[in-house]
Amino acid sequence: MDKITEFILPIVEDINKYLSDYILIILLVGAGLFFTIATKFVQVRCFGEGMKKVFGNLSLRGGKSKSGLSSFQALTTAIAAQVGTGNIVGASGAILMGGPGAIFWMWIIAFLGMATIYAEATLAQETRVVDEQGQVHGGPVYYIKKAYKGAFGKVLAGFFAVATILALGFMGTMVQSNSIAESCETAFGIDGWIVGLILAVISAFIFIGGVSRLASVTEKIVPLMAVVFLVGGLVILGIRIEYIPQTFAMIFKFAFTPQALIGGSIGAALKIAISQGAKRGLFSNEAGMGSTPHAHAQANVEKPHDQGVVAMVGVFIDTFVVLTMTALVIISCLFAGEGGLGSMSAADYKEFMDLGIITKTNAMQTAFGNALGNADAGNMFVAICLLFFAYSTVIGWNFFGKINVQYLFKNSKVATVIYSVIAIAFIFMGTLLSNNLVWELTDFFNYLMVIPNVLALVPLFAIVVKASKSNKVSPLKK
C-alpha cells in the first residue's frame, strides 16, 4: 500500500496544483462574480428572506414524504454534506499551509459562492422532473442537458455524473472516514480498522433506508451537532478572549502579506493563500461544485427562488458560522500571543511545520487541549464533533452519488445496490489509507465536478436572474 501511495500521490498532487491554482480559482471566482452582478447581489438582497424561510418555521419533525422533501429537510441534507471534515480538518490545513489569511479568502469565496449556490438551487428546481411513481429526480445533470442540447449535453451530463459518483460516493467518503479514524485513534486509542468496520455497518443500515431515512437523520443530527460544536468553540474563545483582536488582525494582515509567515515572494505566497482559501472553501461549502443541488431539487417549495435563498443560508452557516469558529479557535490558540506560530519568522515556521507536530488532522484537537489545559479533553471533544460532522457528510454524499447512479442506469435497483456495496467498501478502505492520498484524490475528482457544473450555470443565467426578481411577490410559506 505504501508503494502505491508513493507512486500515485506525487502525480495527483501535481495535477491538483494546476487545477486549484488556476482553473478552480477562475471558475469559482468568475461564476460567483457573474451571478452576484447579474442578480444584483441576491446574497445581500434576499439574505433576510432566506433566514426567515429557514428559521421562521423551524421544526425537527418534518416526517417522511412520499415525494421529495420539505425545504428544511433539503437544507439539512445539503448542510449535512457541506459541514464535514472541510470545516475542521480542511480549514486547519488551509491555515497551516496558507497562513491565517487563507480564511479571509475563504470568506470571499463563500460570499461569492452564495450567489453561485442560489443559481444552482434555482436551476435544480427549474429542471427537476417527477416520474410516474411520483419520485423527484433533479440535480446538475438535468440543467446541464438544458444548457447544452444534443449529444454534447448528454456527454457533459454523463461526465458530471461519473465524476460525482467517484468524488462523493467513493473518494469523498474515504476522506471523512479517514479523518474520523485518525481523530478517534488520537482521542480514544481505537484502531482505525475497527472504526472503519463500525462506520461500514452503520452505513449499510442508512444507505439501504433511502432518502426518507436520510432526511429523518439529517434534520435531527445537523442542528444538534452544530450547536454542540459552536458552544464548545465559544468556551474556548472565552478562555482566549484577550487574543481575539489579534486573531482578526492576523486574518487580515496575512491575507495580503502571507510571505511574512509562510515565506517565498509576495506573489508566490499570495497565490498559496488564495489557492488554499479557494480549494478548502470549495471542499467546505461546495458552492459551484454541483453537489448540494441534488438535495435542493428534492425540496417541495412554491417556486425555485424559495429554495435558492434557503440554499444561500446553507453556505452562510457552513462558512461564516461553523468554519469561522474553527478558524478563530485555531488562530487564537496556536498563532496568537507570545510564542505563538504567528510570531515566528518564515524560516522558523517552515522548520516547525516540517517536524509534523501539528497537522491539519490534529490542529483543532491541539488548540482545544492547549486552551483547556487538558489534551485528552480537547482530543475527545473534537473527535466526537468530527465524528458527527464527517459522518453526516458521508450519508449526504452517498445520497448525491446514488442520484447519479440512478440517472446513468435508468433507476436500476441492481445498480443502486452495487453502488451502495462499493461505497461501504470505500468507507472502510478510507480508514486504512494515507491521509494525504485520500485528500488529494478527493480534491481531484471534486475539481472535475466543478468544470461541467459551472459551464452549465452560465448559459442559463437568464432563468436565474428572472427567479431572483420574484422575491418581492413571494409570500412566505406558512
Side-chain angles (χ1 to χ4, degrees):
M1 192 67 71
D2 290 340
K3 290 184 178 180
I4 294 176
T5 299
E6 291 175 3
F7 175 74
I8 296 177
L9 183 58
I11 298 174
V12 181
E13 283 179 334
D14 288 341
I15 296 173
N16 284 349
K17 284 179 183 178
Y18 179 81
L19 290 174
S20 64
D21 290 353
Y22 302 101
I23 295 177
L24 184 68
I25 292 176
I26 292 172
L27 289 178
L28 291 182
V29 174
L33 280 171
F34 179 78
F35 282 107
T36 295
I37 295 170
T39 61
K40 297 181 180 178
F41 287 81
V42 67
Q43 66 268 59
V44 178
R45 290 191 299 108
C46 300
F47 180 73
E49 181 186 0
M51 294 293 282
K52 289 179 182 178
K53 288 184 183 296
V54 172
F55 298 105
N57 296 300
L58 181 62
S59 171
L60 304 185
R61 300 182 63 180
K64 295 183 179 180
S65 173
K66 292 182 179 179
S67 177
L69 307 172
S70 70
S71 181
F72 182 72
Q73 286 178 328
L75 175 66
T76 55
T77 301
I79 293 179
Q82 291 169 310
V83 179
T85 56
N87 296 78
I88 297 179
V89 181
S92 301
I95 295 169
L96 294 177
M97 294 183 66
I103 298 302
F104 173 83
W105 298 111
M106 278 189 172
W107 288 341
I108 298 299
I109 291 292
F111 176 76
L112 298 175
M114 288 173 71
T116 305
I117 208 163
Y118 173 86
E120 291 178 293
T122 297
L123 291 173
Q125 281 282 320
E126 289 277 6
T127 58
R128 74 178 195 160
V129 297
V130 181
D131 62 23
E132 295 177 354
Q133 288 72 43
Q135 295 300 310
V136 177
H137 302 278
V141 290
Y142 293 92
Y143 59 69
I144 288 173
K145 289 197 298 182
K146 184 175 180 65
Y148 301 100
K149 307 293 184 183
F152 180 71
K154 291 180 180 179
V155 171
L156 198 62
F159 177 84
F160 175 87
V162 172
T164 300
I165 293 168
L166 293 172
L168 305 185
F170 300 154
M171 304 300 172
T173 56
M174 287 202 301
V175 165
Q176 312 299 329
S177 63
N178 182 281
S179 296
I180 292 172
E182 285 203 13
S183 63
C184 285
E185 187 167 358
T186 299
F188 307 109
I190 304 174
D191 290 340
W193 71 269
I194 296 176
V195 175
L197 189 61
I198 295 172
L199 293 176
V201 171
I202 297 173
S203 298
F205 172 75
I206 295 178
F207 292 174
I208 295 172
V211 64
S212 295
R213 181 175 293 167
L214 168 63
S216 178
V217 171
T218 58
E219 71 178 348
K220 295 174 178 61
I221 288 181
V222 170
L224 178 61
M225 71 180 187
V227 169
V228 171
F229 178 74
L230 293 175
V231 169
L234 287 173
V235 170
I236 300 302
L237 294 184
I239 295 173
R240 301 287 294 179
I241 192 168
E242 64 180 299
Y243 298 105
I244 300 303
Q246 185 184 357
T247 295
F248 279 100
M250 282 194 290
I251 290 175
F252 289 99
K253 171 187 175 182
F254 291 123
F256 301 99
T257 58
Q259 82 284 0
L261 181 64
I262 63 176
S265 65
I266 176 62
L270 191 58
K271 186 174 74 171
I272 292 174
I274 296 175
S275 174
Q276 286 295 317
K279 69 180 183 179
R280 292 299 161 233
L282 172 69
F283 191 82
S284 174
N285 63 57
E286 302 178 35
M289 194 166 83
S291 53
T292 56
H294 296 97
H296 294 302
Q298 299 285 322
N300 292 317
V301 292
E302 292 180 358
K303 57 183 179 295
H305 167 81
D306 294 343
Q307 196 61 26
V309 295
V310 167
M312 294 191 310
V313 174
V315 172
F316 177 83
I317 292 173
D318 173 89
T319 301
F320 291 101
V321 179
V322 180
L323 184 144
T324 296
M325 180 61 74
T326 297
L328 295 180
V329 168
I330 289 177
I331 297 171
S332 66
C333 292
L334 302 183
F335 284 80
E338 292 184 10
L341 299 179
S343 62
M344 290 185 174
S345 66
D348 289 341
Y349 183 77
K350 183 180 184 304
E351 183 178 349
F352 181 80
M353 285 295 106
D354 288 342
L355 294 175
I357 298 173
I358 297 178
T359 66
K360 61 177 178 285
T361 305
N362 70 16
M364 193 63 166
Q365 289 176 310
T366 303
F368 263 78
N370 288 354
L372 295 173
N374 187 323
D376 290 338
N379 288 341
M380 291 179 184
F381 178 81
V382 175
I384 292 172
C385 289
L386 186 60
L387 170 63
F388 283 102
F389 279 1
Y391 193 70
S392 70
T393 299
V394 168
I395 58 180
W397 279 2
N398 176 265
F399 170 50
F400 300 160
K402 185 181 294 183
I403 290 174
N404 287 277
V405 169
Q406 292 170 342
Y407 167 78
L408 290 175
F409 296 96
K410 310 300 182 185
N411 295 316
S412 168
K413 292 184 179 179
V414 174
T416 300
V417 171
I418 293 174
Y419 162 76
S420 296
V421 172
I422 296 174
I424 292 168
F426 268 84
I427 289 171
F428 177 74
M429 189 165 60
T431 62
L432 308 177
L433 293 178
S434 157
N435 179 273
N436 289 333
L437 178 60
V438 294
W439 273 90
E440 291 295 336
L441 286 172
T442 300
D443 283 343
F444 173 71
F445 286 103
N446 284 349
Y447 302 158
L448 294 186
M449 288 176 62
V450 172
I451 297 171
N453 182 61
V454 172
L455 287 178
L457 292 176
V458 176
L460 300 174
F461 80 96
I463 298 175
V464 178
V465 172
K466 182 179 179 180
S468 71
K469 296 177 181 178
S470 67
N471 64 303
K472 295 182 180 179
V473 297
S474 174
L476 294 182
K477 200 171 183 179
K478 301 296 183 183

